[in-house]
Amino acid sequence: MFHVTLKDKKYKHMKFNTKTIHGGQEHDPAYGSVMPPIYQTSTYAQSTPGGHKGYEYSRTHNPTRNALEKAFASIENGNYGLAFGSGMAAIDAIIKLLKPGDEVISTNDLYGGSYRLFTKIFEGFGIKFHFVGMRNIENIETLINSNTKLIWVETPTNPMLNIIDIKAVSVLAKKYNILFAVDSTFATPYLQLPLDLGADIVMHSVTKYIGGHSDVVMGALIVKDKELAEKLYFIQNASGAVCGPQDSFLVLRGIKTLHVRMQRHCENGRAVAEFLASHPKIEKVYWPGFETHPNHNIAKSQMKDFGGMLSFTTKGNNYAEAIKIIENLQLFTLAESLGGVESLSGHPASMTHASIPKEEREKSGVVDSLIRLSVGIEDIEDLINDLKQALN
Ligand code: P1T
C-alpha cells in the first residue's frame, strides 16, 4: 500500500515555523512548481493493468492531497497524515477501528457534533460511549474494563475551554493498552503536540485554525505508528470520505501562515479575556490563561500559549441578555465555526451544542446564557470597542 509518510528525515529537525512552510513539502517533480499543482483528476492513465506512476484513482491517492497529508504529518511531529472531507469524517474513521461490544471513554464537554456521531450513529452499531469529566484522571480509570478500546479526549474542550492532561491520560492508556486519540482542533500543532505527549492519534477539524480562512471544510488524522496508519488508510479509502484537490491546495496555503496567525490569535484572545474579566456585567470568563482556571498549570505545561477561543456568561445568567449582546456585536459575526482570521461569536446551547440534551450540556456548564467567541486577528482596539458597545 502507498503510504503518505515523511521519508525525508530533514523535516524532522526543523523548528515549527519552518515546518509550516517547508515541512513535508517538495517542489513538484514535473516542472518544479514551488506550490503543489491542483491535480484536478479522478483517475490516472495506466500503460497496462497495474502500470501506473503510483496513482490509480483519486479516492485512494491524489498528489495534491498527498502533499497536504505530508504537511500534516510534519507539523504534528507524526509519520503519517490523512486528510478527510470534514472533521466529522476524520472522527468517523477512528471509531470505525472499533467493533460492536467495544467501549469508548470520552470527554463529557466536547463538540456537539462528536457527541451526536457517537450517540446517534455508533451506539446503534453496538459501541458503548461513556462521557466523563476528565479534569480528574481517576474518573477515567474507574470506567476502564476489558471492553474499553478507545479514550477520546478533546483539549481544550469546546466550548468550556477545559484542559485535559494529555500526558497523564497517555500513561493510563498505555497501562491498559487502550488506543488514545486527541481532538486538538482548538490548540493546533502551534500550541500543543499530542503525539509527543503520548497520544496515538491526533485529530483536527482543519476547517478551523489549520485552514484558517473560513473557506474549507476538512478533517485530519496524524499518527506515528505504521500499523495504525495502515488501518486508517484502509478505512479512508474503503469508506471514501476524502477531500478534493482544490481544498487540499487551499489548506496547504493556509498552513504556511499558521504560526503567525496563531501568535496573533493568542495575543488578541488574551486581551479579550482580560477585558471581559474586568467588565462589571460579566459573571465568568472561561479561558485557560487565567491563573484561576482549574487546569491552568497543565495548560501552561502542555501548551505554548492559550489560544484564541473563550466563552463567558453575564451576571444573572440571562438568556435574553446573552442573545441581545450577540445581536449587538458588529465585528464578531454570529456564525457556526471558529478559528478563521475573522472574529466570530456563537451561542453554543442553540447552535454548536444543540444536539446535546439540555440536561447533559448544563452538567458541563453549557448554560443558555453562555456566549462563545473565536477571537480573530483584527486590530485589538476594534475588537474591544465592539465588545464594549455590545455590552453597554
Ligand atoms: O465541522 P467539521 O470540520 O466536521 O469538524 C467537527 C469538529 C470536531 N471537533 C471540534 C473540536 C470541533 O469544534 C468541530 C467543529 N466545530 C464547529 C463547527 C463549531 O462551531 O464548534
Side-chain angles (χ1 to χ4, degrees):
M1 191 168 197
F2 183 96
H3 286 125
V4 186
T5 178
L6 285 176
K7 289 195 201 83
D8 194 338
K9 295 276 187 286
K10 80 182 177 208
Y11 299 121
K12 302 251 180 196
H13 305 295
M14 287 177 184
K15 298 248 185 299
F16 185 78
N17 298 352
T18 313
K19 276 188 185 174
T20 63
I21 295 162
H22 299 287
Q25 302 190 34
E26 285 136 32
H27 302 154
D28 185 64
Y31 297 105
S33 71
V34 169
M35 278 303 281
I38 302 169
Y39 282 95
Q40 192 72 48
T41 186
S42 60
T43 192
Y44 308 82
Q46 306 191 15
S47 54
T48 184
H52 54 74
K53 297 176 178 171
Y55 293 89
E56 293 162 274
Y57 187 57
S58 277
R59 169 160 39 73
T60 320
H61 307 295
N62 173 281
T64 319
R65 192 179 87 223
N66 291 356
L68 174 64
E69 290 175 325
K70 279 189 189 168
F72 284 155
S74 166
I75 58 176
E76 277 291 354
N77 282 356
N79 294 322
Y80 305 91
L82 299 95
F84 292 85
S86 68
M88 293 320 302
I91 302 175
D92 179 270
I94 297 175
I95 309 300
K96 283 176 177 160
L97 293 166
L98 309 181
K99 57 181 193 324
D102 287 349
E103 296 187 16
V104 180
I105 303 173
S106 163
T107 321
N108 66 345
D109 165 31
L110 80 170
Y111 173 55
S114 307
Y115 179 89
R116 180 176 56 194
L117 178 71
F118 295 165
T119 57
K120 296 282 182 346
I121 305 280
F122 282 110
E123 279 189 355
F125 289 102
I127 295 168
K128 191 167 172 187
F129 291 84
H130 303 272
F131 297 94
V132 64
M134 292 188 174
R135 211 183 278 157
N136 181 354
I137 299 296
E138 281 164 21
N139 292 349
I140 307 176
E141 193 159 16
T142 56
L143 286 169
I144 292 176
N145 64 51
S146 60
N147 294 326
T148 311
K149 294 290 152 59
L150 173 70
I151 300 177
W152 178 260
V153 160
E154 192 179 293
T155 186
T157 63
N158 179 1
M160 299 310 295
L161 283 304
N162 281 309
I163 300 294
I164 295 153
D165 187 338
I166 298 173
K167 215 182 230 167
V169 177
S170 93
V171 169
L172 197 62
K174 282 186 176 55
K175 178 173 162 193
Y176 292 96
N177 197 21
I178 300 166
L179 195 65
F180 172 31
V182 175
D183 182 339
S184 193
T185 298
F186 272 31
T188 83
Y190 174 81
L191 293 178
Q192 75 188 13
L193 293 165
L195 296 179
D196 286 356
L197 296 169
D200 299 303
I201 308 177
V202 182
M203 176 265 155
H204 284 284
S205 170
V206 174
T207 318
K208 311 299 177 331
Y209 288 105
I210 293 182
H213 297 75
S214 307
D215 49 10
V216 170
V217 173
M218 190 187 286
L221 300 180
I222 302 101
V223 303
K224 285 198 179 188
D225 181 68
K226 186 169 181 222
E227 205 180 313
L228 180 57
E230 279 179 356
K231 286 183 189 163
L232 289 167
Y233 282 122
F234 183 84
I235 294 167
Q236 182 196 37
N237 181 47
S239 288
V242 293
C243 56
Q246 289 267 0
D247 284 355
S248 301
F249 177 86
L250 283 171
V251 171
L252 272 163
R253 176 156 133 160
I255 287 176
K256 288 183 191 287
T257 56
L258 177 64
H259 54 300
V260 280
R261 286 186 283 107
M262 284 309 293
Q263 195 178 343
R264 182 64 68 81
H265 280 297
C266 291
E267 283 167 21
N268 283 359
R270 172 182 295 277
V272 168
E274 285 171 356
F275 164 75
L276 289 172
S278 68
H279 195 284
K281 276 200 178 153
I282 302 298
E283 172 79 30
K284 188 151 174 55
V285 182
Y286 299 90
W287 178 67
F290 290 129
E291 277 179 21
T292 51
H293 183 285
N295 267 354
H296 172 71
N297 285 336
I298 291 162
K300 238 167 78 174
S301 70
Q302 74 184 17
M303 296 167 72
K304 188 169 167 182
D305 204 334
F306 305 106
M309 293 300 299
L310 56 95
S311 295
F312 67 97
T313 51
T314 49
K315 286 196 175 127
N317 200 13
N318 184 324
Y319 168 75
E321 190 181 45
I323 300 299
K324 191 85 206 141
I325 292 166
I326 287 172
E327 287 172 354
N328 283 346
L329 285 166
Q330 302 293 314
L331 261 181
F332 285 83
T333 304
L334 174 62
E336 302 263 352
S337 205
L338 58 106
V341 288
E342 63 287 295
S343 293
L344 299 181
S345 67
H347 182 245
S350 69
M351 296 168 72
T352 48
H353 293 70
S355 52
I356 305 178
K358 188 174 164 74
E359 206 186 280
E360 277 303 308
R361 67 171 184 256
E362 290 198 340
K363 272 191 222 158
S364 54
V366 187
V367 292
D368 284 351
S369 64
L370 189 81
I371 297 173
R372 190 187 76 180
L373 297 181
S374 170
V375 182
I377 62 170
E378 299 94 338
D379 274 302
I380 189 61
E381 293 81 2
D382 292 328
L383 295 179
I384 301 282
N385 282 340
D386 191 30
L387 287 162
K388 264 187 200 157
Q389 67 78 23
L391 285 163
N392 290 337

Tab-separated table of all heavy atoms in Angstrom, residues 85-89 91 110-114 152 154 156-158 183-186 203-208 216-219 335-338 352-353 372, ligand 1:
chain	number	residue	atom	x	y	z
A	85	GLY	N	-12.833	14.626	4.273
A	85	GLY	CA	-13.757	15.655	3.784
A	85	GLY	C	-14.317	16.571	4.854
A	85	GLY	O	-14.896	17.610	4.541
A	86	SER	N	-14.146	16.220	6.129
A	86	SER	CA	-14.562	17.097	7.240
A	86	SER	C	-13.934	16.557	8.522
A	86	SER	O	-13.431	15.419	8.542
A	86	SER	CB	-16.093	17.109	7.394
A	86	SER	OG	-16.550	15.850	7.838
A	87	GLY	N	-14.001	17.358	9.565
A	87	GLY	CA	-13.536	16.882	10.873
A	87	GLY	C	-14.346	15.666	11.306
A	87	GLY	O	-13.805	14.693	11.830
A	88	MET	N	-15.665	15.714	11.048
A	88	MET	CA	-16.522	14.592	11.449
A	88	MET	C	-16.128	13.308	10.719
A	88	MET	O	-16.165	12.218	11.292
A	88	MET	CB	-18.005	14.913	11.188
A	88	MET	CG	-18.590	16.017	12.057
A	88	MET	SD	-18.060	16.016	13.774
A	88	MET	CE	-18.567	14.393	14.297
A	89	ALA	N	-15.759	13.421	9.440
A	89	ALA	CA	-15.344	12.238	8.673
A	89	ALA	C	-14.070	11.644	9.268
A	89	ALA	O	-13.887	10.424	9.270
A	89	ALA	CB	-15.128	12.611	7.210
A	91	ILE	N	-13.194	11.800	12.490
A	91	ILE	CA	-13.577	11.121	13.744
A	91	ILE	C	-14.267	9.789	13.414
A	91	ILE	O	-14.001	8.753	14.030
A	91	ILE	CB	-14.508	12.014	14.602
A	91	ILE	CG1	-13.821	13.346	14.932
A	91	ILE	CG2	-14.923	11.291	15.884
A	91	ILE	CD1	-14.700	14.347	15.672
A	110	LEU	N	-17.609	18.370	24.992
A	110	LEU	CA	-16.992	18.208	23.661
A	110	LEU	C	-17.898	18.780	22.588
A	110	LEU	O	-19.058	19.106	22.855
A	110	LEU	CB	-16.669	16.733	23.374
A	110	LEU	CG	-17.763	15.769	22.914
A	110	LEU	CD1	-17.132	14.463	22.461
A	110	LEU	CD2	-18.768	15.474	24.002
A	111	TYR	N	-17.386	18.897	21.389
A	111	TYR	CA	-18.165	19.428	20.273
A	111	TYR	C	-19.464	18.620	20.119
A	111	TYR	O	-19.436	17.386	20.123
A	111	TYR	CB	-17.330	19.378	18.986
A	111	TYR	CG	-18.122	19.747	17.763
A	111	TYR	CD1	-18.820	20.958	17.697
A	111	TYR	CD2	-18.209	18.887	16.669
A	111	TYR	CE1	-19.574	21.293	16.587
A	111	TYR	CE2	-18.964	19.224	15.545
A	111	TYR	CZ	-19.643	20.421	15.518
A	111	TYR	OH	-20.394	20.751	14.417
A	112	GLY	N	-20.587	19.321	19.976
A	112	GLY	CA	-21.896	18.669	19.893
A	112	GLY	C	-21.982	17.657	18.756
A	112	GLY	O	-22.660	16.629	18.870
A	113	GLY	N	-21.310	17.918	17.661
A	113	GLY	CA	-21.336	17.006	16.512
A	113	GLY	C	-20.643	15.687	16.827
A	113	GLY	O	-21.059	14.628	16.325
A	114	SER	N	-19.586	15.733	17.646
A	114	SER	CA	-18.897	14.497	18.045
A	114	SER	C	-19.837	13.672	18.922
A	114	SER	O	-19.978	12.463	18.733
A	114	SER	CB	-17.606	14.816	18.817
A	114	SER	OG	-16.809	15.709	18.083
A	152	TRP	N	-11.180	9.008	24.210
A	152	TRP	CA	-11.363	10.154	23.308
A	152	TRP	C	-11.278	11.440	24.130
A	152	TRP	O	-12.129	11.695	24.983
A	152	TRP	CB	-12.731	10.071	22.608
A	152	TRP	CG	-12.978	11.255	21.715
A	152	TRP	CD1	-13.731	12.352	21.988
A	152	TRP	CD2	-12.423	11.457	20.410
A	152	TRP	NE1	-13.686	13.229	20.937
A	152	TRP	CE2	-12.891	12.704	19.954
A	152	TRP	CE3	-11.575	10.711	19.591
A	152	TRP	CZ2	-12.533	13.227	18.706
A	152	TRP	CZ3	-11.229	11.227	18.351
A	152	TRP	CH2	-11.708	12.473	17.925
A	154	GLU	N	-10.874	15.654	24.044
A	154	GLU	CA	-10.843	16.926	23.330
A	154	GLU	C	-10.207	17.913	24.298
A	154	GLU	O	-10.679	18.058	25.416
A	154	GLU	CB	-12.298	17.323	23.006
A	154	GLU	CG	-12.436	18.465	22.038
A	154	GLU	CD	-13.906	18.778	21.747
A	154	GLU	OE1	-14.604	17.951	21.129
A	154	GLU	OE2	-14.359	19.856	22.166
A	156	PRO	N	-8.034	21.927	24.238
A	156	PRO	CA	-9.074	22.449	25.105
A	156	PRO	C	-10.454	22.031	24.592
A	156	PRO	O	-10.642	21.835	23.407
A	156	PRO	CB	-8.906	23.971	24.993
A	156	PRO	CG	-7.528	24.195	24.492
A	156	PRO	CD	-7.202	23.010	23.657
A	157	THR	N	-11.399	21.916	25.546
A	157	THR	CA	-12.723	21.451	25.158
A	157	THR	C	-13.556	22.587	24.556
A	157	THR	O	-13.337	23.762	24.844
A	157	THR	CB	-13.480	20.859	26.358
A	157	THR	OG1	-13.669	21.902	27.336
A	157	THR	CG2	-12.733	19.700	26.982
A	158	ASN	N	-14.501	22.169	23.735
A	158	ASN	CA	-15.427	23.068	23.060
A	158	ASN	C	-16.787	22.897	23.715
A	158	ASN	O	-17.334	21.790	23.651
A	158	ASN	CB	-15.483	22.661	21.574
A	158	ASN	CG	-16.424	23.492	20.738
A	158	ASN	OD1	-17.059	24.409	21.229
A	158	ASN	ND2	-16.513	23.163	19.451
A	183	ASP	N	-8.577	15.157	20.060
A	183	ASP	CA	-9.089	16.194	19.163
A	183	ASP	C	-8.409	17.486	19.588
A	183	ASP	O	-8.741	18.068	20.622
A	183	ASP	CB	-10.616	16.284	19.293
A	183	ASP	CG	-11.229	17.326	18.348
A	183	ASP	OD1	-10.497	18.231	17.896
A	183	ASP	OD2	-12.454	17.251	18.093
A	184	SER	N	-7.448	17.916	18.773
A	184	SER	CA	-6.606	19.067	19.127
A	184	SER	C	-6.990	20.311	18.324
A	184	SER	O	-6.192	21.217	18.147
A	184	SER	CB	-5.137	18.669	18.866
A	184	SER	OG	-4.234	19.558	19.435
A	185	THR	N	-8.252	20.342	17.870
A	185	THR	CA	-8.730	21.418	16.985
A	185	THR	C	-8.507	22.813	17.567
A	185	THR	O	-8.042	23.714	16.878
A	185	THR	CB	-10.241	21.213	16.699
A	185	THR	OG1	-10.410	19.971	16.017
A	185	THR	CG2	-10.813	22.332	15.861
A	186	PHE	N	-8.852	23.009	18.855
A	186	PHE	CA	-8.735	24.344	19.459
A	186	PHE	C	-7.274	24.762	19.624
A	186	PHE	O	-6.970	25.943	19.681
A	186	PHE	CB	-9.419	24.385	20.837
A	186	PHE	CG	-10.885	24.730	20.802
A	186	PHE	CD1	-11.685	24.378	19.726
A	186	PHE	CD2	-11.486	25.413	21.869
A	186	PHE	CE1	-13.039	24.684	19.694
A	186	PHE	CE2	-12.840	25.738	21.854
A	186	PHE	CZ	-13.619	25.371	20.765
A	203	MET	N	-6.383	14.347	16.025
A	203	MET	CA	-7.437	14.663	15.061
A	203	MET	C	-7.627	16.183	15.034
A	203	MET	O	-7.485	16.862	16.054
A	203	MET	CB	-8.733	13.957	15.511
A	203	MET	CG	-9.941	14.269	14.673
A	203	MET	SD	-10.863	15.627	15.429
A	203	MET	CE	-11.685	16.293	14.013
A	204	HIS	N	-7.912	16.697	13.820
A	204	HIS	CA	-8.225	18.124	13.684
A	204	HIS	C	-9.452	18.334	12.824
A	204	HIS	O	-9.605	17.671	11.791
A	204	HIS	CB	-7.082	18.876	12.980
A	204	HIS	CG	-5.910	19.112	13.860
A	204	HIS	ND1	-5.899	20.076	14.840
A	204	HIS	CD2	-4.717	18.497	13.921
A	204	HIS	CE1	-4.746	20.041	15.462
A	204	HIS	NE2	-4.004	19.094	14.940
A	205	SER	N	-10.284	19.281	13.228
A	205	SER	CA	-11.180	19.895	12.269
A	205	SER	C	-10.314	20.953	11.586
A	205	SER	O	-10.084	22.037	12.127
A	205	SER	CB	-12.387	20.537	12.958
A	205	SER	OG	-13.084	21.312	12.002
A	206	VAL	N	-9.841	20.617	10.402
A	206	VAL	CA	-8.958	21.514	9.624
A	206	VAL	C	-9.723	22.763	9.186
A	206	VAL	O	-9.143	23.816	8.919
A	206	VAL	CB	-8.409	20.732	8.398
A	206	VAL	CG1	-7.610	21.607	7.472
A	206	VAL	CG2	-7.571	19.545	8.869
A	207	THR	N	-11.054	22.614	9.156
A	207	THR	CA	-11.971	23.715	8.873
A	207	THR	C	-11.621	24.957	9.685
A	207	THR	O	-11.894	26.081	9.269
A	207	THR	CB	-13.405	23.268	9.266
A	207	THR	OG1	-13.617	21.923	8.848
A	207	THR	CG2	-14.456	24.184	8.705
A	208	LYS	N	-11.016	24.735	10.864
A	208	LYS	CA	-10.821	25.806	11.837
A	208	LYS	C	-9.458	26.488	11.626
A	208	LYS	O	-9.201	27.005	10.571
A	208	LYS	CB	-11.003	25.237	13.242
A	208	LYS	CG	-12.292	24.398	13.399
A	208	LYS	CD	-13.517	25.225	13.136
A	208	LYS	CE	-14.861	24.525	13.171
A	208	LYS	NZ	-15.020	23.159	12.836
A	216	VAL	N	-12.932	26.404	3.797
A	216	VAL	CA	-12.791	24.977	3.514
A	216	VAL	C	-13.360	24.175	4.683
A	216	VAL	O	-13.153	24.558	5.838
A	216	VAL	CB	-11.293	24.599	3.357
A	216	VAL	CG1	-11.106	23.092	3.318
A	216	VAL	CG2	-10.688	25.221	2.112
A	217	VAL	N	-14.045	23.064	4.402
A	217	VAL	CA	-14.423	22.096	5.436
A	217	VAL	C	-13.533	20.870	5.231
A	217	VAL	O	-13.491	20.304	4.135
A	217	VAL	CB	-15.914	21.709	5.322
A	217	VAL	CG1	-16.261	20.583	6.292
A	217	VAL	CG2	-16.800	22.916	5.603
A	218	MET	N	-12.789	20.481	6.282
A	218	MET	CA	-11.836	19.370	6.128
A	218	MET	C	-11.451	18.808	7.499
A	218	MET	O	-11.550	19.499	8.511
A	218	MET	CB	-10.570	19.871	5.422
A	218	MET	CG	-9.627	18.754	4.995
A	218	MET	SD	-8.063	19.358	4.339
A	218	MET	CE	-8.548	19.953	2.742
A	219	GLY	N	-11.017	17.559	7.503
A	219	GLY	CA	-10.525	16.941	8.740
A	219	GLY	C	-9.179	16.292	8.521
A	219	GLY	O	-8.789	16.022	7.384
A	335	ALA	N	-21.911	33.202	13.889
A	335	ALA	CA	-21.811	32.104	12.918
A	335	ALA	C	-21.297	30.846	13.598
A	335	ALA	O	-20.575	30.918	14.587
A	335	ALA	CB	-20.858	32.495	11.784
A	336	GLU	N	-21.670	29.705	13.037
A	336	GLU	CA	-21.051	28.432	13.435
A	336	GLU	C	-19.587	28.513	13.030
A	336	GLU	O	-19.222	29.309	12.171
A	336	GLU	CB	-21.701	27.270	12.676
A	336	GLU	CG	-23.192	27.130	12.849
A	336	GLU	CD	-23.601	26.107	13.916
A	336	GLU	OE1	-22.722	25.393	14.422
A	336	GLU	OE2	-24.805	26.045	14.218
A	337	SER	N	-18.773	27.653	13.591
A	337	SER	CA	-17.349	27.524	13.271
A	337	SER	C	-16.489	28.489	14.083
A	337	SER	O	-16.981	29.257	14.916
A	337	SER	CB	-17.074	27.691	11.777
A	337	SER	OG	-15.863	27.013	11.444
A	338	LEU	N	-15.192	28.409	13.849
A	338	LEU	CA	-14.199	29.134	14.640
A	338	LEU	C	-12.856	29.032	13.935
A	338	LEU	O	-12.715	28.298	12.952
A	338	LEU	CB	-14.096	28.500	16.042
A	338	LEU	CG	-13.715	27.005	16.066
A	338	LEU	CD1	-12.285	26.788	16.516
A	338	LEU	CD2	-14.657	26.227	16.958
A	352	THR	N	-23.858	25.168	18.128
A	352	THR	CA	-22.902	24.056	18.020
A	352	THR	C	-23.183	22.890	18.957
A	352	THR	O	-22.718	21.775	18.720
A	352	THR	CB	-21.485	24.569	18.316
A	352	THR	OG1	-21.530	25.355	19.522
A	352	THR	CG2	-20.971	25.413	17.190
A	353	HIS	N	-23.891	23.125	20.062
A	353	HIS	CA	-24.107	22.079	21.053
A	353	HIS	C	-25.584	21.748	21.255
A	353	HIS	O	-25.957	21.120	22.238
A	353	HIS	CB	-23.414	22.450	22.376
A	353	HIS	CG	-21.919	22.455	22.233
A	353	HIS	ND1	-21.261	23.423	21.505
A	353	HIS	CD2	-20.978	21.580	22.657
A	353	HIS	CE1	-19.965	23.152	21.512
A	353	HIS	NE2	-19.760	22.053	22.195
A	372	ARG	N	-19.867	32.063	23.170
A	372	ARG	CA	-18.510	31.640	22.791
A	372	ARG	C	-17.934	32.621	21.771
A	372	ARG	O	-18.649	33.058	20.866
A	372	ARG	CB	-18.562	30.234	22.187
A	372	ARG	CG	-17.194	29.609	21.973
A	372	ARG	CD	-17.282	28.303	21.211
A	372	ARG	NE	-17.523	28.521	19.790
A	372	ARG	CZ	-17.646	27.543	18.893
A	372	ARG	NH1	-17.587	26.284	19.267
A	372	ARG	NH2	-17.865	27.820	17.618
B	1	P1T	O1	-17.035	20.811	11.187
B	1	P1T	P1	-16.042	19.722	10.980
B	1	P1T	O2	-14.868	20.118	10.158
B	1	P1T	O3	-16.668	18.446	10.536
B	1	P1T	O4	-15.360	19.424	12.423
B	1	P1T	C1	-16.084	18.924	13.503
B	1	P1T	C2	-15.451	19.354	14.804
B	1	P1T	C3	-14.665	18.451	15.510
B	1	P1T	N1	-14.064	18.795	16.656
B	1	P1T	C4	-14.171	20.030	17.168
B	1	P1T	C5	-13.480	20.360	18.454
B	1	P1T	C6	-14.946	20.998	16.502
B	1	P1T	O5	-15.027	22.216	17.046
B	1	P1T	C7	-15.619	20.653	15.303
B	1	P1T	C8	-16.496	21.611	14.587
B	1	P1T	N2	-16.932	22.685	15.380
B	1	P1T	C9	-17.762	23.678	14.971
B	1	P1T	C10	-18.326	23.750	13.761
B	1	P1T	C11	-18.034	24.713	15.987
B	1	P1T	O6	-18.514	25.824	15.656
B	1	P1T	O7	-17.743	24.466	17.168
